[in-house]
Amino acid sequence: MSAMISPAALTAAGVRREFPILDRIGDDGRPLIYLDTGATAQKPQAVIDKITECYEQFNANVHRGVHPLHERVTAELEASRKKVAAFLNTRPLDELDLLDDVSEIIFTAGTTMGINLVAHAWGRQFLQPGDEILLNHLEHHANIVPWQMIAAERGAKVVWCPLTPDGLIDLTKFDQLLTPRTKMVAVTAMSNVLGTIPPVAEIVRRAHAVGAKVLVDAAQFAPHGPIDVQAWDADFVVFSGHKLYGPTGVGVLYGKLELLEAMGPFLGGGNMIDEVFDDYSTYKRPPFKFEAGTLPIAEAIALGTAIDRVQAWGWDVIHHQEQLLLEACHARLENIPGVKIYGPGVDQKGSIVSFTVEGIPAHDLGTSLGRHGIAVRASHHCAKPLHRCYGIDATTRASFAVYNTLEEVEALGEALEATRQVFFRRRG
Ligand SMILES: Cc1ncc(COP(=O)(O)O)c(C=O)c1O
């Protein structure tokens, strides 16, 4: 196995050393094998330290005062916002002759909150009875349920694009379903079950041709590859901090400024108003119009640190290591009798492998792997419509990050084989 470790993998080994939890030995004496990054990524020391620094050195509320602590914390938060903007390659707003405090980057509580914000604030303004929202069966419930809710409220309709048998969005059907009635296409940049990476820029181009807007759910994609909102030309992009090696409780919504300006607010409250009178209020410009109340300040600042780390590691190292793990995992699992891997081949997906083992319920399998010290997820992964397409209730999912190793893939294979033996011996 060690003969397969390339120079890039050795650099990945250096990345791994930044994650203290990966040295953890469980109560059973086993080291942690964490193959559940799809649920949430582990945190590098720099992110943990930044949160501590926020509370120890400059804890105060933002945008609400004039003493030095306020100035420091506000500067840290706005610096993090600029890092997010650079990370997504947003347009430089100074070129558009806009004020310094206008931004297309909104801090949210996470992907779910970001999609709800757009569904409700954009949908209330722009959806009419008979309009259509085009989804597809790859989507996470977070990119389904808010659209169903606003569709019901506005008399609009959710339309479903099917998948091909190997788990790609069927682009021929997609074209047929795209009509002038389509007002929104909501699409994932990477499936949290199959790992499928749809051709986002192409989907946006086709949607724009009929006048539809596009929201891209980048929750899974963000830690695995560069996002360029200008190249995608997406109208909205959302992701969560905690899947990008950052803290929980914070996420990002990118929106094209002209759309954010045209939309009404989602939540009302402090910090988002310009003026409040007895009978009406006026609102600030984006981003603050969409940031009512106190933000998750330390988390948003530490998200900037997570982005610093990802950029320091570099996409080449991340991609190389994850591809190595993905290929090794496919090769290892495909040789185990009864294992079925769902979704496309390794060249059309990110580092997620969801599978079933014939005769072993996913939950039992996940529990058994847990007893071998291997953390995977076994469930419908908040993607019930997708599982229904395959006629199953649940899968077991191994999801990899740059910090995982080929030895951990091998441990998964061995634990699967051991589980099969015990399970079938028990059943006689
Ligand atoms: C593709 C996708 N979208 C949305 C979400 C929801 O993210 P959050 O729970 O951070 O809001 C997830 C979480 O697993 C996801 O994988």
Side-chain angles (χ1 to χ4, degrees):
M1 185 71 64
S2 57
M4 292 171 68
I5 296 178
S6 69
L10 288 174
T11 309
V15 174
R16 181 181 169 92
R17 284 195 285 277
E18 296 190 24
F19 291 81
I21 200 171
L22 299 179
D23 292 333
R24 180 180 177 276
I25 304 293
D27 294 341
D28 55 2
R30 292 175 189 271
L32 170 66
I33 297 182
Y34 189 74
L35 306 183
D36 200 16
T37 297
T40 196
Q42 296 301 347
K43 316 305 172 201
Q45 190 64 52
V47 167
I48 299 168
D49 290 348
K50 191 70 192 181
I51 292 179
T52 306
E53 187 195 340
C54 290
Y55 288 117
E56 283 185 354
Q57 301 297 325
F58 50 85
N59 179 49
N61 214 327
V62 288
H63 302 126
R64 287 183 191 171
V66 288
H67 64 71
L69 219 50
H70 287 135
E71 284 169 11
R72 169 82 191 274
V73 73
T74 301
E76 292 264 357
L77 181 83
E78 291 310 316
S80 179
R81 196 190 303 275
K82 286 202 167 73
K83 282 180 197 173
V84 174
F87 182 69
L88 300 181
N89 192 31
T90 61
R91 296 175 292 178
L93 292 185
D94 45 358
E95 268 178 24
L96 304 177
D97 201 22
L98 289 165
L99 300 174
D100 214 22
D101 60 353
V102 171
S103 175
E104 295 177 314
I105 301 300
I106 294 152
F107 286 121
T108 65
T111 302
T112 303
M113 179 62 96
I115 298 173
N116 274 276
L117 191 164
V118 175
H120 292 278
W122 174 87
R124 265 183 225 136
Q125 195 102 11
F126 294 106
L127 281 178
Q128 303 296 333
D131 285 347
E132 293 181 356
I133 299 159
L134 182 53
L135 305 180
N136 68 83
H137 282 120
L138 288 179
E139 300 308 319
H140 185 282
H141 296 164
N143 205 18
I144 298 172
V145 183
W147 299 113
Q148 291 173 333
M149 289 164 70
I150 193 67
E153 201 178 306
R154 302 296 302 163
K157 191 174 155 197
V158 169
V159 175
W160 288 91
C161 178
L163 305 181
T164 64
D166 52 353
L168 306 177
I169 296 176
D170 186 331
L171 290 178
T172 308
K173 299 267 171 46
F174 181 80
D175 281 342
Q176 290 161 2
L177 292 165
L178 212 49
T179 74
R181 286 189 303 278
T182 316
K183 292 295 178 294
M184 172 62 76
V185 172
V187 64
T188 185
M190 178 172 154
S191 158
N192 67 315
V193 181
L194 306 182
T196 310
I197 297 185
V200 169
E202 180 57 24
I203 286 171
V204 174
R205 195 185 62 73
R206 295 183 193 196
H208 283 174
V210 299
K213 304 295 180 210
V214 182
L215 176 139
V216 180
D217 172 358
Q220 287 296 333
F221 185 80
H224 301 295
I227 298 175
D228 184 333
V229 295
Q230 294 186 75
W232 280 357
D233 196 23
D235 301 288
F236 302 101
V237 177
V238 288
F239 69 88
S240 299
H242 70 97
K243 295 194 201 280
L244 184 63
Y245 308 103
T248 52
V250 67
V252 167
L253 161 64
Y254 156 83
K256 283 184 179 163
L257 188 66
E258 48 278 24
L259 283 168
L260 297 176
E261 298 269 27
M263 286 155 54
F266 174 45
L267 300 175
N271 211 34
M272 48 78 78
I273 54 87
D274 219 2
E275 267 303 348
V276 178
F277 302 99
D278 283 4
D279 47 356
Y280 76 100
S281 302
T282 57
Y283 311 119
K284 285 187 177 148
R285 298 183 64 187
F288 305 117
K289 178 164 73 173
F290 299 104
E291 291 182 349
T294 297
L295 286 174
I297 299 167
E299 289 80 359
I301 292 170
L303 174 58
T305 307
I307 288 174
D308 288 343
R309 294 317 305 144
V310 168
Q311 283 171 337
W313 305 331
W315 288 120
D316 285 350
V317 170
I318 293 170
H319 184 73
H320 184 275
Q321 179 69 2
E322 291 180 351
Q323 199 61 24
L324 211 62
L325 297 165
L326 187 59
E327 286 168 19
C329 186
H330 267 245
R332 184 68 174 87
L333 267 52
E334 274 160 8
N335 278 322
I336 299 176
V339 170
K340 179 173 178 185
I341 298 175
Y342 293 82
V346 293
D347 50 341
Q348 281 172 305
K349 67 188 265 187
S351 53
I352 283 180
V353 182
S354 290
F355 57 94
T356 50
V357 180
E358 200 181 346
I360 310 182
H363 187 266
D364 293 354
L365 190 57
T367 308
S368 168
L369 293 177
R371 292 202 183 110
H372 285 83
I374 301 175
V376 292
R377 192 158 181 219
S379 77
H380 52 70
H381 315 298
C382 300
K384 287 199 168 207
L386 172 60
H387 281 79
R388 217 168 278 125
C389 288
Y390 288 99
I392 49 176
D393 294 331
T395 47
T396 302
R397 179 183 75 183
S399 50
F400 301 97
V402 59
Y403 46 58
N404 290 121
T405 65
L406 290 169
E407 286 73 16
E408 291 175 329
V409 173
E410 178 53 28
L412 171 66
E414 285 170 12
L416 269 176
E417 284 170 342
T419 303
R420 278 191 81 251
Q421 274 179 13
V422 170
F423 206 85
F424 292 119
R425 199 183 312 130
R426 209 190 298 140
R427 287 211 318 196

